[in-house]
Amino acid sequence: MTDTVERQELDVAGEERPPAATAGIAVVAGISLAVLLFSAARYDYFGDELYFLAAGRHPSFGYADQGPVLPMLARLMDTIAPGSFFVFRLPAVALTTLAVALTALLARELGGGRGAQLLAAAAYATSPFLLLQGKMLTTNAIDTALWVIVTWLVVRWVRTRRDSLLLCAALVTALDMQVKWLIPFFWIVVAVTSLALGPRELVRRPLLWLGGAIVLLATLPTLIWQAGNGWPQLRMGEVISGEQGVLGGRLMFVPLAILTAGILGAVVLVYGVWALLRTPALRPYRFLGATLLLLVAIFLVTGGRIYYVAGMYGVVLAAGAVGLVEQAGRLGPSPRRLLTGGGSAVVLCSAALVLWSTPWQHPDHIAPPADDAEAAINIGVYGEFGWPELTAAVSRAAAALAPAERANAVVVTDTYWQASALDQFARDELPPIYSPSRGYGYFGRPLDEASTVLAVGMTESFLRWNFDSVEPVGKADSRLGFPGNTQDVTVWKCTGARHPWAETWPDLMHL
């Protein structure tokens, strides 16, 4: 045994850990990093990314639909390199690459050798969703990676019983609570499953409870903000449940959740649940297999999104890789060669799917969405186009206003994406920008003194009900874009408001 990176690690019981497949993990992580860097340099800001930039210019302890970390991070990255969506996305790229490497290290923690570690990393890296969500700075990209870190720390605690790992997991949880409010579901279910299946001492560790107190203390400012604004984060559940209808609703939840793992990942994921629940060697980690199943049930019943459980995929893919390699080792030479050949074909198909899913196409070669459903399914693509056309149309309408009109004008948009795009690209050229949509509505409302309103994308019937004069003064459209946001969007000039904004704004605000 040497002192190189191949040195095996001893756990608290004196049992040797398999050597880390350092070179192989570095290759898989390096390829993943290259794919993400290429993907992050393509096209334009995604709609939610623009919203985080706008939110960063409205600093707060809380926001309607996410915590303060993404807005703070967005503002930091835009300060480092103003207007660079590539630099803006580097934190998501780095965390996703880390998740690939940690999935391999999770396989090592579970007793897997080099083959299992490489298979686990390949399964994560060849999932178009798990990998390519990291090409954009979004809540789910950061949240998923933080879950992988938390599960890695929990698995290490199960093996080593070093309670400092639980405190570290709590600190990561405190950070994740400032991104999304999904991680409490993980800990609640882990408490239940560990009590039922072991290790029962997990929930009795003092440092775990100290970590819980730190999480609560760190989240307190956000909780105060939410309470003071009617708990909009909780109301988002109904909105999200309704949005899931375009993907088949609850009927398709489980199949689509599995398919988010990719071709190879789906196979390894399903076997990973079986391995965690039934393999004697993984008995200490059985509670994690039950945790995934219970989380699926919870999000299925509550109408959550199919990727809400993706943070658990790292550890389950690791378990599946360990179990599959162990099963392959028990086969004879001929069946093993057959399995190896079939497995290699699946890996190649999965890798090809990821490469096909990368944004390598020139925009001119991308077909526009056929309907709203296709646009919603491919929102990550179509949501990156059309911002220059929208900005130009609204800027032209504002430039055409008479000086007296411009002096008391405001821009009010139908969606928070539109408001965020205008705020990013033309806030110095346009009148003050507002939107009642989602979190943007909490940034403020137009002053009652505003005598001219440029309404972007709002319905004509609503405008005529609320204004004496309504006339179209511009049109935003783009071959590629998202319907209702950058495609077929009318810009209206409205005057003679019949009701003060202070009265109508609360009714207009929606998530």
Side-chain angles (χ1 to χ4, degrees):
M1 193 175 297
T2 68
D3 290 329
T4 67
V5 290
E6 298 294 329
R7 183 177 60 84
Q8 294 175 325
E9 181 183 340
L10 298 178
D11 65 15
V12 291
E15 180 184 350
E16 293 182 340
R17 288 290 92 192
T22 309
I25 296 172
V27 169
V28 176
I31 294 173
S32 301
L33 176 61
V35 170
L36 286 170
L37 289 174
F38 169 80
S39 301
R42 303 285 286 170
Y43 307 153
D44 207 335
Y45 289 105
F46 179 59
D48 280 356
E49 292 179 314
L50 292 167
Y51 169 61
F52 297 141
L53 284 164
R57 289 186 282 271
H58 295 81
S60 173
F61 285 117
Y63 296 89
D65 45 0
Q66 87 281 321
V69 161
L70 264 292
M72 290 170 55
L73 187 57
R75 183 167 184 173
L76 172 64
M77 301 311 292
D78 195 53
T79 301
I80 293 173
S84 171
F85 57 82
F86 174 74
V87 174
F88 176 81
R89 292 165 171 168
L90 290 181
V93 169
L95 279 174
T96 303
T97 305
L98 176 63
V100 173
L102 284 181
T103 301
L105 295 180
L106 275 163
R108 182 179 182 236
E109 291 295 325
L110 298 176
R114 292 176 182 142
Q117 294 169 40
L118 288 176
L119 178 58
Y124 197 103
T126 57
S127 161
F129 172 77
L130 292 175
L131 181 68
L132 293 179
Q133 68 173 344
K135 76 181 181 69
M136 294 185 293
L137 185 62
T138 59
T139 53
N140 55 288
I142 304 300
D143 178 64
T144 299
L146 293 178
W147 275 52
V148 174
I149 297 173
V150 168
T151 52
W152 175 67
L153 291 167
V154 170
V155 166
R156 279 188 63 83
W157 177 86
V158 173
R159 181 175 67 80
T160 66
R161 294 302 196 270
R162 296 172 186 162
D163 287 355
S164 59
L165 294 167
L166 295 179
L167 182 59
C168 290
L171 294 176
V172 178
T173 299
L175 175 63
D176 198 19
M177 281 295 291
Q178 310 306 312
V179 177
K180 233 175 186 179
W181 282 12
L182 292 180
I183 194 71
F185 289 99
F186 168 81
W187 283 110
I188 292 170
V189 174
V190 160
V192 172
T193 56
S194 63
L195 285 173
L197 303 173
R200 293 181 176 87
E201 61 267 32
L202 172 63
V203 298
R204 296 196 292 264
R205 308 314 299 166
L207 282 185
L208 179 66
W209 289 100
L210 174 61
I214 293 173
V215 172
L216 181 60
L217 185 64
T219 312
L220 191 58
T222 299
L223 293 174
I224 293 173
W225 187 94
Q226 288 284 330
N229 288 275
W231 298 98
Q233 182 79 59
L234 299 182
R235 300 201 307 272
M236 278 295 298
E238 298 178 10
V239 176
I240 291 169
S241 180
E243 292 174 349
Q244 282 300 103
V246 72
L247 296 176
R250 291 179 174 84
L251 182 63
M252 294 299 296
F253 184 92
V254 174
L256 290 177
I258 294 174
L259 288 176
T260 58
I263 299 173
L264 174 64
V267 176
V268 180
L269 183 74
V270 172
Y271 192 83
V273 175
W274 171 263
L276 283 169
L277 296 178
R278 304 298 299 175
T279 302
L282 296 177
R283 174 65 182 83
Y285 311 97
R286 187 169 298 176
F287 73 103
L288 290 171
T291 296
L292 176 61
L293 295 180
L294 282 178
L295 285 172
V296 168
I298 289 171
F299 294 133
L300 173 63
V301 170
T302 58
R305 292 188 171 127
I306 57 174
Y307 55 75
Y308 278 5
V309 294
M312 284 288 299
Y313 284 6
V315 66
V316 180
L317 289 172
V322 171
L324 286 170
V325 170
E326 181 183 351
Q327 287 295 327
R330 296 174 182 172
L331 299 175
S334 295
R336 190 184 307 165
R337 283 194 294 270
L338 182 62
L339 180 62
T340 301
S344 299
V346 173
V347 171
L348 290 174
C349 289
S350 297
L353 179 60
V354 168
L355 294 176
W356 178 257
S357 301
T358 58
W360 55 269
Q361 286 183 301
H362 189 277
D364 291 344
H365 299 151
I366 300 175
D371 49 38
D372 290 355
E374 182 182 350
I377 292 171
N378 295 302
I379 188 173
V381 175
Y382 297 119
E384 294 182 88
F385 292 100
W387 308 125
E389 291 87 345
L390 175 70
T391 303
V394 179
S395 296
R396 286 193 299 268
L401 294 175
E405 293 176 319
R406 177 68 182 252
N408 291 298
V410 294
V411 176
V412 180
T413 72
D414 184 46
T415 73
Y416 70 103
W417 277 15
Q418 294 165 333
S420 301
L422 297 176
D423 187 70
Q424 175 66 15
F425 299 122
R427 62 181 176 274
D428 295 331
E429 306 166 14
L430 294 175
I433 302 162
Y434 302 94
S435 176
S437 173
R438 201 158 284 191
Y440 213 101
Y442 292 84
F443 296 163
R445 59 172 176 80
L447 297 176
D448 291 337
E449 292 75 17
S451 56
T452 302
V453 176
L454 291 179
V456 181
M458 306 185 88
T459 61
E460 182 178 3
S461 58
F462 167 80
L463 295 174
R464 294 197 180 280
W465 180 263
N466 287 277
F467 294 91
D468 293 332
S469 174
V470 177
E471 60 174 312
V473 291
K475 188 82 167 182
D477 203 2
S478 58
R479 191 185 73 85
L480 293 178
F482 201 77
N485 279 271
T486 55
Q487 288 188 320
D488 193 25
V489 175
T490 301
V491 182
W492 308 87
K493 185 175 80 169
C494 308
T495 57
R498 296 172 180 170
H499 310 283
W501 285 109
E503 179 182 318
T504 60
W505 196 253
D507 295 330
L508 282 178
M509 287 177 61
H510 62 278
L511 296 172

